[in-house]
Amino acid sequence: MGLDAHGIVSVVQIIVFAPIFGFSLFLTIRHGVRRHAGWLFLVFFSNIRVIGGIMLIVAESLKKPSIGIFITSYVLASAGLSPLLLATLSFLSMVGQHAQTRLPITAWHYRMLHVLLAVAVALAVVGGTNGSSSSISTQNNGNTLRRVASLIFVGVFVTVALITLMLWSNKNAILLHRRTLLVGLSSSLPFLAIRVLYSVLSAFSPSSFGPRSLEHTSLSKFNTVNGSWQIYITMSLLMEFIAVAIYCTTGTLLPLQAEERDYEGANSKNVDVQEMYRQTGGRVNGGR
């Protein structure tokens, strides 16, 4: 069994994201996993894209392909958006870290968004698996779950956009070299928006497997597995590649030594203010 158009796209997908996997791993080591988890999420994301591409190629290359391999590839394609959004959230957290004034967004808010994305992944995986069932009711349940997952992705993306606007409104409070990262994040948002839109359209398209897989609607062309491969490349793979390329480029522009000086300067300033406040009994800047 030879490769069809989607199989050939998977080959391109592997060729594109395999180097990104290696470069993201390099950035993770360069910046450090502990403080900058965003690069690690890019490693997860690119790894998922490579594995998903391999799974589809294997499935199409077998004389008697297993539907389970097709389903795995489909689920990975749907769930792969989560680590990309997780990386974006982590980078936003980095931008606001050590800000010179208190920002309204806290670590708790970021944790809640991470939890929502974890829930979305679980729903996408279960929904993709149930969507292949021979039972109409189970397939309908799977479709509902993957649609809910896609709407969660939309909600998280809208929140990311709002946080980005909030950070721009407090630009002067952000450490100088973190503003470079903010520019990169802002540049990636239009491409992420298209990718999230494709996720929603794909989730509301007919099932790829099961008794209703032959149904055709106006959304059928957005189906990841058997829809238009041109749309899949344009609205999914290309948008992901541009967003990740922006992140990786930004990662190479962040000067580590200057960033460390920013850390030390911010921490030193906070310590000096606290010490002055303690020694004067709260009378700072002419306070009484």
Side-chain angles (χ1 to χ4, degrees):
M1 183 176 180
L3 298 180
D4 62 9
H6 285 275
I8 296 174
V9 169
S10 294
V11 174
V12 176
Q13 179 175 317
I14 295 171
I15 293 174
V16 169
F17 285 102
I20 290 178
F21 170 79
F23 193 70
S24 299
L25 187 60
F26 163 75
L27 289 175
T28 300
I29 297 172
R30 179 176 186 264
H31 290 279
V33 177
R34 195 172 173 185
R35 281 192 327 197
H36 309 301
W39 312 112
L40 186 60
F41 284 124
L42 288 185
V43 172
F44 293 153
F45 167 75
S46 53
N47 190 40
I48 287 174
R49 285 293 171 257
V50 170
I51 293 175
I54 293 174
M55 297 293 287
L56 186 58
I57 292 173
V58 169
E60 292 192 357
S61 300
L62 295 175
K63 291 183 179 180
K64 295 182 179 180
S66 169
I67 191 172
I69 302 179
F70 279 108
I71 294 172
T72 301
S73 175
Y74 175 66
V75 170
L76 288 175
S78 301
L81 179 59
S82 180
L84 185 55
L85 290 175
L86 284 170
T88 306
L89 282 172
S90 295
F91 292 142
L92 283 176
S93 178
M94 285 172 56
V95 171
Q97 191 178 27
H98 300 292
Q100 297 172 13
T101 60
R102 184 175 178 81
L103 298 174
I105 189 76
T106 65
W108 182 86
H109 295 98
Y110 285 111
R111 282 194 292 269
M112 290 300 100
L113 291 171
H114 277 69
V115 170
L116 280 176
L117 285 175
V119 171
V121 170
L123 293 176
V125 170
V126 176
T129 303
N130 289 351
S132 63
S133 173
S134 58
S135 168
I136 294 294
S137 61
T138 303
Q139 191 176 157
N140 287 338
N141 177 261
N143 291 338
T144 299
L145 291 179
R146 64 193 182 101
R147 288 165 185 171
V148 171
S150 70
L151 294 178
I152 293 177
F153 288 142
V154 172
V156 171
F157 174 78
V158 171
T159 305
V160 164
L162 292 175
I163 293 175
T164 303
L165 290 175
M166 180 205 69
L167 290 172
W168 273 112
S169 67
N170 293 274
K171 184 184 70 172
N172 293 332
I174 297 171
L175 295 181
L176 180 62
H177 296 286
R178 299 300 176 92
R179 299 174 197 175
T180 301
L181 184 55
L182 180 58
V183 171
L185 287 170
S186 303
S187 302
S188 70
L189 288 185
F191 306 103
L192 283 177
I194 296 174
R195 175 61 184 90
V196 172
L197 175 61
Y198 178 82
S199 177
V200 175
L201 295 174
S202 177
F204 282 84
S205 67
S207 298
S208 302
F209 308 101
R212 300 176 62 183
S213 61
L214 297 180
E215 288 186 2
H216 292 281
T217 69
S218 59
L219 295 177
S220 296
K221 57 187 176 182
F222 295 102
N223 190 278
T224 303
V225 177
N226 50 27
S228 168
W229 62 269
Q230 295 94 333
I231 292 178
Y232 175 66
I233 288 180
T234 305
M235 295 185 67
S236 181
L237 290 184
L238 181 60
M239 297 300 102
E240 291 176 349
F241 172 75
I242 294 176
V244 173
I246 291 174
Y247 292 160
C248 290
T249 301
T250 304
T252 62
L253 296 176
L254 292 177
L256 295 181
Q257 293 181 352
E259 188 179 63
E260 291 298 334
R261 288 196 299 269
D262 280 348
Y263 273 124
E264 294 172 1
N267 291 333
S268 175
K269 181 178 180 180
N270 290 335
V271 170
D272 291 343
V273 171
Q274 291 173 5
E275 181 64 19
M276 183 182 298
Y277 189 87
R278 185 185 64 80
Q279 292 179 359
T280 60
R283 296 186 300 274
V284 180
N285 292 332
R288 298 183 181 274

